[in-house]
Amino acid sequence: MAGWAMRIVLGMGLLLAALGTAAASDPPPGALQSAPVRSGGAAAASVDGVVQAVRQTALAAQVAGAVVALDVQAGDRVRAGQVLLRLDARAAEQTAAAGAAQVQAARAAQEEAARELERQRQLFAQHYISRAALDRAEAQSKATQAEAAALLASAGATRTQSGFYVLKAPYAGVVSDVAVVLGDMALPGRPLLTLYDPKALRVSAPVPQSAAPLGDGGSLRIELPGMAGGDAIVPTAWQLLPTVDPATHSLELRLDLPAGTAATPGMFARVRLPGPAATAGRLFVPARAVVRRAELSGVYVIGADGQPRLRLVRLGRADGDSVEVLAGVSAGERVALDPQAAARVR
């Protein structure tokens, strides 16, 4: 306690010395402009957020190839299964054609082996060949069948891979970004287009840890500045993620927008919090009334005798032209708006 008291005394001295008192003419106390310490109300509780798409996909190619056709641009609405982009698939098509030819050759060999096996069986029945010769014919037929099955499977895989050169929309939505142009080389995993579903949007906002108990969330409201009407939107559902950001000590609040809301991902949104998270009891003073020196802050409080006296305060967040005061003043007290002039008052 003694150390803290000494720190306050030294801080008061530093603030007074920094402001200076050697003025040619000292203004009278009544000439000082002042403003009351304002108490924040519950309706002012809000946090800033951003509109997000619940379903947003970065489409990438599974194979490498040059972009030879680009059928959409940013802002286009697309249907599910619509072709968006094509890659150069000539090499894949030739490989698929070669695989199909090998399958045909294997099937011809399989048919020939089957006929040969039938002839060997007839000869064995007439005792013209040995059992060993018939066994070799059966083994040859089975090997030919297995080879034909392997080539058929390989050809099917090649045909499937050739489909990777055509990029289609996985669902109906809006193209928000096209990251390539004709002639660009697509690589596996490189995002080519971004698609989102405009029917499912939400607002994501960081909520301070102290405001986390939101009750049933019935008073949550969303504002989209600049939107037609400007009325507060009631979310259809909300979710408060359980993890806390260690850097900001805040939780992510997600609020689903009603279907048909005319918004796009990335838009600014403001979330009004319910009563338990309100700002009742918070105190604010004009930002220009604050004196800052090193780690200390203070304001000149106008006393009952009209004399300004420097008082150390602990500040919170800034809110426009005002700043929150966590400790040091009471609601209704008046503070000098010009600290330099207040320091010269005798």
Side-chain angles (χ1 to χ4, degrees):
M1 294 294 295
W4 174 246
M6 180 63 68
R7 184 179 180 185
I8 293 179
V9 172
L10 292 176
M12 296 283 285
L14 288 173
L15 288 173
L16 288 172
L19 290 171
T21 58
S25 58
D26 296 338
L32 287 176
Q33 294 183 350
S34 62
V37 177
R38 178 172 56 88
S39 176
S46 64
V47 291
D48 296 340
V50 63
V51 177
Q52 296 178 343
V54 177
R55 184 164 58 168
Q56 179 167 307
T57 308
L59 301 177
Q62 301 183 53
V63 293
V67 178
V68 296
L70 189 58
D71 300 332
V72 294
Q73 57 185 357
D76 288 352
R77 289 183 173 269
V78 297
R79 305 179 306 275
Q82 179 178 336
V83 175
L84 308 177
L85 178 146
R86 295 179 184 272
L87 303 179
D88 186 1
R90 289 176 296 178
E93 292 172 353
Q94 292 174 0
T95 303
Q102 291 175 351
V103 169
Q104 292 179 356
R107 285 177 175 174
Q110 180 182 357
E111 294 174 358
E112 174 61 26
R115 289 193 295 267
E116 178 64 22
L117 176 59
E118 184 61 27
R119 288 192 296 267
Q120 294 296 327
R121 285 174 177 171
Q122 293 176 1
L123 293 174
F124 177 76
Q126 299 173 7
H127 304 287
Y128 286 116
I129 62 173
S130 64
R131 183 67 190 183
L134 178 61
D135 291 343
R136 286 194 297 270
E138 291 178 347
Q140 180 64 29
S141 177
K142 292 180 180 179
T144 306
Q145 291 178 2
E147 183 178 0
L151 290 174
L152 182 61
S154 177
T158 303
R159 286 195 304 270
T160 301
Q161 188 175 12
S162 63
F164 296 159
Y165 290 83
V166 179
L167 205 62
K168 298 181 180 180
Y171 51 83
V174 178
V175 178
S176 60
D177 182 47
V178 179
V180 293
V181 296
L182 290 177
D184 277 356
M185 177 60 67
L187 299 175
R190 176 191 176 186
L192 305 178
L193 302 99
T194 302
L195 182 72
Y196 75 91
D197 185 0
K199 297 180 181 179
L201 300 175
R202 69 188 177 201
V203 171
S204 175
V207 176
Q209 184 177 351
S210 58
L214 298 177
D216 60 0
S219 301
L220 287 169
R221 295 295 183 270
I222 303 171
E223 296 177 356
L224 299 175
M227 298 295 295
D231 296 334
I233 301 173
V234 179
T236 58
W238 65 279
Q239 178 188 17
L240 189 65
L241 299 189
T243 56
V244 179
D245 189 328
T248 61
H249 303 291
S250 62
L251 297 88
E252 182 179 358
L253 176 64
R254 293 178 176 177
L255 305 101
D256 294 343
L257 290 171
T261 303
T264 56
M267 289 183 59
F268 170 78
R270 182 175 292 111
V271 179
R272 296 207 310 241
L273 302 178
T279 56
R282 294 172 60 184
L283 302 179
F284 297 88
V285 298
R288 60 178 177 152
V290 178
V291 183
R292 291 183 175 89
R293 290 296 181 272
E295 299 178 356
L296 302 177
S297 301
V299 293
Y300 277 92
V301 179
I302 308 299
D305 56 357
Q307 294 292 327
R309 293 177 176 83
L310 182 63
R311 188 183 300 174
L312 292 180
V313 294
R314 184 159 59 94
L315 301 179
R317 295 183 177 181
D319 183 10
D321 295 334
S322 302
V323 61
E324 182 183 4
V325 180
L326 303 178
V329 295
S330 302
E333 290 185 313
R334 303 191 67 84
V335 295
L337 295 178
D338 188 353
Q340 295 287 347
R344 296 196 296 266
V345 173
R346 291 291 185 268

